[in-house]
Amino acid sequence: MEIDPEARIDHGAPLPPYRQLAGILAARIERGDWQPNRAIPSESQLVQEYGLARATVRRAIAVLVEQGVLFVVPQRGTFVKPAGEV
Amino acid sequence: MEIDPEARIDHGAPLPPYRQLAGILAARIERGDWQPNRAIPSESQLVQEYGLARATVRRAIAVLVEQGVLFVVPQRGTFVKPAGEV
DNA sequence: TTTCATTTGTACGTATGTATT
DNA sequence: TAATACATACGTACAAATGAA
């Protein structure tokens, strides 16, 4: 997919921000920013880091959960899903 | 699941509105309010009919799309998915 | 035990974009 | 030229559960 983990959100791009963020986060996981079973930054932190609304951040996370890249534990955080099973 | 297709949204119930609506719409489809390949009411109409925010209505629809009960055609409407395949 | 901050879950209202009719 | 309908995004608010102080 060739996504730069250092990329910023481009509100003028054809790809909507929530998909851009999903790609960026996936690239950062791929690169090793966060290990399996470790939490990624909270939604609030991602909101500040990427300058997006929380709803947009949540949507990006939903995409990755759908893809099996992340899993969410209510009231605890969002974690990187281990490769083959748990 | 025994859901009354005539039910209204109860904001005090444990089940969140978006899930209540998903159940109600599923019950109405089951009952035959809308036939396969026919459009259900637009999001705006459902917003008015059930007194919910559009985001909530969309979420309920997303649940049914996920379950294979409905399918969305952008700019055209939301349709009842035929039973076995298309 | 109580309090407080953190984090995700849910919902509201509004605005703009895009494609179809 | 509108009107319609879905797509996306913003900001705000409150609830519930967790964990630390």
Side-chain angles (χ1 to χ4, degrees):
Chain A
M1 276 286 279
E2 297 296 324
I3 295 179
D4 177 10
E6 293 294 333
R8 306 307 298 172
I9 301 300
D10 177 2
H11 288 265
L15 200 64
Y18 81 92
R19 292 203 195 192
Q20 290 180 47
L21 180 56
I24 291 170
L25 293 179
R28 293 186 63 178
I29 291 170
E30 179 70 26
R31 174 226 255 170
D33 280 23
W34 309 293
Q35 297 302 310
N37 285 314
R38 296 284 295 174
I40 66 172
S42 72
E43 294 174 353
S44 295
Q45 291 177 308
L46 292 174
V47 162
Q48 292 189 61
E49 182 172 354
Y50 289 96
L52 296 170
R54 195 179 153 212
T56 305
V57 168
R58 282 177 62 75
R59 195 162 182 189
I61 290 173
V63 168
L64 298 180
V65 167
E66 175 80 17
Q67 295 178 2
V69 176
L70 297 174
F71 66 96
V72 180
V73 179
Q75 279 69 60
R76 296 291 305 133
T78 301
F79 305 78
V80 177
K81 199 165 183 179
E85 283 306 296
V86 178
Chain B
M1 276 285 279
E2 297 296 325
I3 297 180
D4 177 10
E6 294 294 333
R8 306 306 297 172
I9 301 299
D10 177 2
H11 289 265
L15 201 63
Y18 82 93
R19 292 205 194 189
Q20 289 180 47
L21 180 56
I24 291 171
L25 293 179
R28 292 185 63 179
I29 290 170
E30 180 69 26
R31 175 225 256 169
D33 281 23
W34 309 292
Q35 297 302 310
N37 286 313
R38 298 284 294 175
I40 66 172
S42 71
E43 295 175 352
S44 296
Q45 290 176 307
L46 292 174
V47 163
Q48 293 189 60
E49 182 173 354
Y50 289 96
L52 296 171
R54 195 175 155 218
T56 307
V57 168
R58 281 174 64 74
R59 196 163 182 188
I61 289 174
V63 168
L64 297 179
V65 167
E66 175 80 17
Q67 295 179 1
V69 175
L70 298 174
F71 66 96
V72 180
V73 179
Q75 278 69 58
R76 296 298 344 275
T78 301
F79 304 79
V80 176
K81 199 164 183 179
E85 283 305 296
V86 177

